[in-house]
């Protein structure tokens, strides 16, 4: 996993589009030692909160808003097991304080979705702990929850702010 993260990060820093970088990563994994890597890759603007979630072979994710939970992605085998599959690219918005829960297949499932639906707080750390508290530990169990803090709008700026 660490090698895949390093390689994928390097490809993106080198200027490759995320979808192309994912396909290259998959090709390299297959050519090396037959390893397979599942990927959840979030690209989001820290200014607008808008972005894309790239998923390949990863468990579905949950996007929690104040009023509802949206399941993102479909459960699929890791890249390399099905050559015809391509990475999913889903538009996401974290502009209004939404929380995006990314989980490993060992933490995914009905218990994880119930934890996300039931959670009423604002702490990503607490939500991740609630996800991991449910279900059996038969497989690796990882949960990462992302939430951007909205910046309150203060009226329209008409000029660049002065440096202080």
């Amino acid at each position: 996993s660490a090698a895949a993260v390093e390689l994928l990060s390097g490809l993106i820093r080198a200027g490759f589009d995320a979808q192309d970088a994912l396909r290259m990563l998959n090709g390299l994994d297959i050519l090396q030692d037959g390893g397979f890597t599942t990927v959840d890759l979030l690209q989001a603007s820290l200014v607008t909160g808008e972005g894309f979630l790239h998923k390949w072979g990863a468990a579905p994710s949950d996007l929690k808003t104040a009023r509802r939970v949206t399941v993102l992605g479909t459960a699929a085998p890791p890249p390399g097991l099905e050559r015809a599959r391509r990475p999913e690219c889903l538009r996401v918005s974290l502009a209004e304080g939404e929380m995006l829960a990314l989980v490993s297949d060992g933490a995914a499932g009905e218990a994880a979705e119930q934890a996300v639906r039931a959670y009423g707080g604002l702490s990503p750390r607490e939500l991740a702990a609630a996800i991991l508290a449910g279900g059996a530990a038969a497989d690796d169990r990882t949960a990462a929850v992302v939430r951007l803090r909205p910046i309150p709008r203060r009226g329209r700026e008409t000029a660049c702010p002065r440096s202080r």
Side-chain angles (χ1 to χ4, degrees):
S1 293
V5 168
E6 186 176 328
L7 179 58
L8 186 57
S9 298
L11 290 169
I12 291 171
R13 278 193 302 270
F16 286 92
D17 171 81
Q19 293 285 304
D20 291 338
L22 284 170
R23 285 192 280 281
M24 290 173 71
L25 173 70
N26 181 46
L28 292 172
D29 275 351
I30 291 170
L31 292 175
Q32 289 181 355
D33 58 7
F36 302 103
T37 303
T38 61
V39 178
D40 276 315
L41 172 65
L42 175 64
Q43 290 183 303
S45 166
L46 298 179
V47 176
T48 66
E50 302 292 323
F52 299 95
L53 176 61
H54 304 274
K55 298 183 71 62
W56 203 353
S61 301
D62 295 307
L63 182 66
K64 181 171 180 55
T65 65
R67 293 185 178 89
R68 67 182 184 152
V69 174
T70 304
V71 177
L72 302 174
T74 56
L81 293 180
E82 292 184 359
R83 288 194 178 270
R85 285 211 38 102
R86 293 177 173 243
E88 290 181 90
C89 181
L90 308 161
R91 182 175 279 289
V92 295
S93 174
L94 301 173
E96 301 295 324
E98 296 89 348
M99 288 193 278
L100 177 63
L102 308 166
V103 298
S104 65
D105 60 348
E110 192 173 316
E113 190 176 334
Q114 290 290 339
V116 173
R117 288 187 188 286
Y119 185 71
L122 298 175
S123 168
R125 182 174 291 159
E126 288 176 3
L127 177 54
I131 292 168
L132 294 177
D139 195 356
D140 70 316
R141 297 175 48 77
T142 305
V145 179
V146 178
R147 178 176 181 258
L148 301 180
R149 290 188 187 143
I151 298 173
R153 296 182 184 222
R154 293 182 278 181
R156 284 193 101 143
E157 299 290 332
T158 56
C160 291
R162 294 183 185 171
S163 4
R164 297 175 196 198

